[in-house]
Amino acid sequence: MARLQAKYPGEKEYLQAVQEVLESVEDVYNQHPEFEQAKIVERMVEPDRIFTFRVTWVDDNGEVQTNTGYRVQFNSAIGPYKGGLRFHRAVTPSMLKFLGFEQTFKNALTTLPMGGAKGGSDFDPVGKSNDEIMRFCQAFMMELWQCIGPDQDIPAGDVGVGGREIGYLYGMYKKLAREYNTGVLTGKGSTWGGSILRPEATGFGALYFTQNLLHKAGKDIKGCRVAVSGFGNVAWGACIKATELGAKVVAISGPDGVCEIPDGITKEMIDYMLVMRASNRNRVEDMADKFPGACKFTAGKKAWSVKCDIALPCAFQNELSEDDARELKANGCWCCCEVSNMGCQPGAIHFFQHNGVLFAPGKAVNAGGVATSGLEMTQNASHISWSGKEVDDKLHFIMDSIHEQCVKYGTQPDGTIDYVKGANIAGFMKVATAMLEQGTI
Ligand code: 2IT
């Protein structure tokens, strides 16, 4: 860690993600001198390669705009590079390195053969028109296409990149590469190679995992009040499945504040989340404007200020601080399943784990998204499409398996389960073993 800090000063998110994994695997690592000898950790924390490129496009006023695009190909020990693209004004190499690093272990947990990657741009979709989004995606792909391929590196969506963006990206890829293999991107439209249930998969998988965790603890989700942060694709899928399982989603949030929904989110509200996402306004207050009786908006507050049993961070890294964790606990919350990547700050995780709040980390909880991307790749490669039930059954099976791996590697001497350790050690062992077997490369 000291060497990494000196080499990459200021890469806050990246160093935070590495620190968490290294702390978790320390004991196991020390029991394997062959890992040490092959310098597995030193190799594993460095991305295989990072592509950086300029993206120039023209906005609706005819003005030329320039952004920076990236693809971080982190690790290919267990399969081709796989991971999403994030379009957000705060994107930096540090952010994409942390995401690519996390993705490597997450993908290892899915049981599918996928390496880890992440990419994106500091392009800010907020306030952009549909035409601007299309022109940006096309300009971005003019560079990215040379870095990716259905057997090399398969991007998908992340924050700021959904089905619409994947459509524009694929259209340009096809034109440039003259290659009509839809397997180069996942999260595609359902009429052109997209998997049924991929849009829902991150949220659905997160709730399957949460159910497993609750059952293991002798609890049931039925009747629980759930606070969700965000209102994007992940939050949307989580709201659908939580409601279907008999829980009550009492809050969603945005950068502008929180919408409290005392009687629980309705189908109409869940559908409206899609409209809000497509508007690029990035405002959750729009929900309260649309459903004034049922939703109460409070500016500047987070979802964690609302009384709940279960907290589901579904928005952005470090969105839940130690103070938020204390407030949740004081208000009766007893479980937090992290759905966003590294959604909880280290102090929050520490507080949960030492104060009897069940906690599971994003790389286990949210892995259903990329797992279903893997299922989309399988369907594309075999030129078939599965029914919703087939995909859902497979997703459910994968989430059960991820939970089992966490239990296997995370059960402590006192019988409690440390899901952070469990997920990190399970992912690490798989990647480390593969690297070892493939020699010094
Ligand atoms: O963080 C994630 O796992 C994703 N954004 C999904 C990646 C993917 O390739 O489906």
Side-chain angles (χ1 to χ4, degrees):
M1 276 314 301
R3 269 205 302 272
L4 275 191
Q5 277 153 4
K7 189 166 172 191
Y8 302 113
E11 295 200 356
K12 195 176 123 276
E13 301 97 336
Y14 165 67
L15 294 168
Q16 181 186 335
V18 173
Q19 169 104 30
E20 186 207 278
V21 170
L22 294 193
E23 272 174 11
S24 290
V25 305
E26 188 171 2
D27 291 342
V28 173
Y29 193 71
N30 289 335
Q31 289 157 18
H32 288 269
E34 70 278 19
F35 290 163
E36 170 80 49
Q37 202 202 342
K39 295 277 185 286
I40 293 292
V41 157
E42 287 82 345
R43 288 156 60 192
M44 199 184 260
V45 299
E46 291 282 351
D48 287 356
R49 61 190 72 80
I50 305 180
F51 297 101
T52 304
F53 45 89
R54 175 174 53 76
V55 183
T56 293
W57 56 285
V58 180
D59 71 17
D60 285 348
N61 299 323
E63 229 173 273
V64 175
Q65 300 285 345
T66 293
N67 290 98
T68 308
Y70 307 92
R71 185 69 179 168
V72 179
Q73 295 183 336
F74 218 102
N75 189 295
S76 62
I78 65 169
Y81 302 104
K82 180 83 194 88
L85 297 171
R86 176 173 291 193
F87 291 170
H88 188 279
R89 66 186 150 72
V91 160
T92 57
S94 166
M95 197 192 291
L96 299 179
K97 278 169 69 183
F98 119 64
L99 288 162
F101 182 74
E102 292 277 293
Q103 196 80 44
T104 302
F105 301 98
K106 180 198 311 194
N107 292 5
L109 292 173
T110 64
T111 74
L112 305 174
M114 298 182 289
K118 205 80 188 193
S121 174
D122 58 359
F123 171 72
D124 183 4
V126 178
K128 299 294 188 292
S129 70
N130 191 50
D131 286 347
E132 288 176 323
I133 299 274
M134 181 169 76
R135 287 196 296 274
F136 178 79
C137 288
Q138 293 174 337
F140 182 81
M141 188 52 86
M142 274 199 260
E143 284 287 334
L144 183 71
W145 77 278
Q146 305 195 58
C147 315
I148 62 176
D151 296 312
Q152 285 84 41
D153 182 351
I154 305 94
D158 192 78
V159 175
V161 178
R164 167 182 53 185
E165 290 75 14
I166 293 294
Y168 297 147
L169 289 164
Y170 181 69
M172 189 49 113
Y173 177 84
K174 201 167 62 165
K175 228 174 153 56
L176 292 164
R178 298 212 177 177
E179 191 204 85
Y180 306 93
N181 188 332
T182 53
V184 68
L185 289 167
T186 60
K188 300 178 292 290
S190 60
T191 58
W192 47 282
S195 176
I196 296 182
L197 239 62
R198 175 63 188 89
E200 292 86 351
T202 312
F204 280 23
L207 267 297
Y208 297 151
F209 189 96
T210 304
Q211 260 190 318
N212 277 322
L213 175 143
L214 296 187
H215 286 165
K216 188 86 192 159
K219 301 192 183 267
D220 191 356
I221 196 166
K222 239 194 167 83
C224 288
R225 295 160 305 171
V226 177
V228 168
S229 65
F231 61 87
N233 166 261
V234 174
W236 169 79
C239 287
I240 297 174
K241 192 50 87 176
T243 307
E244 197 185 302
L245 295 176
K248 199 155 91 171
V249 176
V250 291
I252 58 169
S253 67
D256 51 330
V258 63
C259 266
E260 215 176 315
I261 317 165
D263 292 333
I265 202 163
T266 62
K267 180 171 182 324
E268 291 69 31
M269 294 177 199
I270 293 173
D271 289 346
Y272 195 65
M273 289 166 86
L274 298 175
V275 178
M276 283 162 46
R277 155 74 175 96
S279 77
N280 287 333
R281 285 161 57 85
N282 210 20
R283 269 164 52 111
V284 82
E285 188 175 3
D286 291 355
M287 183 67 84
D289 291 345
K290 179 83 178 170
F291 301 93
C295 283
K296 187 176 142 260
F297 175 74
T298 310
K301 283 272 185 198
K302 295 185 184 179
W304 321 132
S305 62
V306 176
K307 266 191 172 43
C308 67
D309 300 294
I310 301 172
L312 298 179
C314 292
F316 214 60
Q317 72 263 9
N318 291 325
E319 57 173 308
L320 199 156
S321 68
E322 185 177 337
D323 285 347
D324 296 328
R326 288 177 189 277
E327 185 173 8
L328 279 166
K329 166 85 185 173
N331 281 332
C333 171
W334 46 267
C335 173
C336 172
C337 282
E338 189 184 61
V339 194
S340 42
N341 291 309
M342 208 166 78
C344 295
Q345 296 179 15
I349 298 176
H350 189 266
F351 178 82
F352 287 143
Q353 291 184 325
H354 289 85
N355 288 276
V357 178
L358 296 166
F359 176 78
K363 63 170 78 67
V365 178
N366 74 30
V370 71
T372 307
S373 277
L375 300 177
E376 182 168 324
M377 288 162 63
T378 306
Q379 293 169 75
N380 295 158
S382 42
H383 307 280
I384 51 167
S385 48
W386 293 329
S387 68
K389 177 162 180 356
E390 276 173 289
V391 178
D392 197 35
D393 286 350
K394 287 184 168 66
L395 169 63
H396 214 135
F397 180 83
I398 289 170
M399 297 315 297
D400 291 352
S401 154
I402 296 172
H403 184 263
E404 267 170 40
Q405 295 174 65
C406 290
V407 171
K408 178 176 170 195
Y409 288 100
T411 301
Q412 301 302 294
D414 66 357
T416 58
I417 300 157
D418 182 336
Y419 283 88
V420 175
K421 268 199 164 162
N424 284 333
I425 297 173
F428 172 82
M429 287 304 288
K430 187 166 174 182
V431 177
T433 307
M435 287 176 69
L436 199 63
E437 289 175 5
Q438 290 170 27
T440 310
I441 51 164

